[in-house]
Structures are given as C-alpha cells and as structure tokens.
Amino acid sequence: MVQPGEIPHETDIESGLESLQAAVDGPIQAGYPYEDPVALICNEEGKLRNLPWNRALRDEAGQIYDIVAGTCFLCAAPPGEDSFAGLTDAQLEAFSRRFAALEWFIPTPEGLVVLREAAL
C-alpha cells in the first residue's frame, strides 16, 4: 500500500471488487507500468477528485510520465489470468524500495518541481 506522504507498507486486501475499491477510496484503475507481472491499482478518478499527488511514475531514463493521485497499491498480475494476487517476497522488497522515497510536487510557472526525500 502506497499512500501520499507515507512510506509503503504491506497490507492484506480481500479479493473482490468492493475490497479493492475500498482500498483506494473509489473506482479502481489497473496499470501495468513494470516489466514484472505487477499491477499498480489506483483510484480511477484520483486526478478528477483532486486527490493528493502520491508518487511519480518514471520511464527507464528516469523521466516522469505520470503521477499517481491518491492511495495506490501493487499486486501480482499473473499473465493470462484475470485476477490479482499477493506479491512475492522478492517483489514486495523491490517495490517497497522503489516507493520508499516520499515525493512532493510543486507546480511552478517553469514546470513541475518534484522534491524527493532520500529513501531509507
């Protein structure tokens, strides 16, 4: 679970659409921005509802291409299956490190400034 202004933490979410929606406080959207079979689940209306910006998504060169608004979580998305599962221990460790640094987003006339706290 990755919440704005907080370090990620492990949590159990019951299966079923209602539980997934409750975890992100609204309708869900699944994105697959990683090579690993992992889904990033967020609130589909996060930006429309002006939820707090959470973390930036970056390409291989480190350039920001999107920002997650509101709470999100990551889960395994086995290829060829229409369901989500828990992360493996290795995935949990890797994605906890990836999202460990808190980020603050400051719009300026010159563009968006992203302040990133050093990861623990």
Side-chain angles (χ1 to χ4, degrees):
M1 182 72 64
V2 184
Q3 296 170 297
E6 296 184 24
I7 60 171
H9 64 275
E10 184 177 358
T11 189
D12 290 323
I13 300 171
E14 292 184 30
S15 62
L17 183 59
E18 288 181 4
S19 296
L20 300 175
Q21 289 175 331
V24 298
D25 191 31
I28 63 168
Q29 177 180 3
Y32 304 89
Y34 310 108
E35 288 185 26
D36 283 345
V38 169
L40 185 146
I41 310 296
C42 63
N43 186 315
E44 181 178 47
E45 300 171 342
K47 291 177 185 163
L48 294 173
R49 290 177 46 199
N50 291 317
L51 296 180
W53 287 349
N54 189 344
R55 300 296 200 284
L57 299 178
R58 293 174 167 79
D59 62 19
E60 293 85 23
Q63 297 299 310
I64 295 172
Y65 67 87
D66 201 359
I67 298 173
V68 176
T71 297
C72 67
F73 65 90
L74 295 118
C75 57
E81 293 185 27
D82 194 22
S83 63
F84 301 123
L87 297 174
T88 65
D89 289 342
Q91 290 170 329
L92 184 60
E93 182 179 332
F95 286 101
S96 291
R97 277 195 317 267
R98 178 177 285 210
F99 287 95
L102 303 180
E103 295 178 327
W104 292 269
F105 305 90
I106 305 166
T108 71
E110 292 79 31
L112 185 66
V113 174
V114 180
L115 300 177
R116 187 175 176 133
E117 179 182 71
L120 302 174

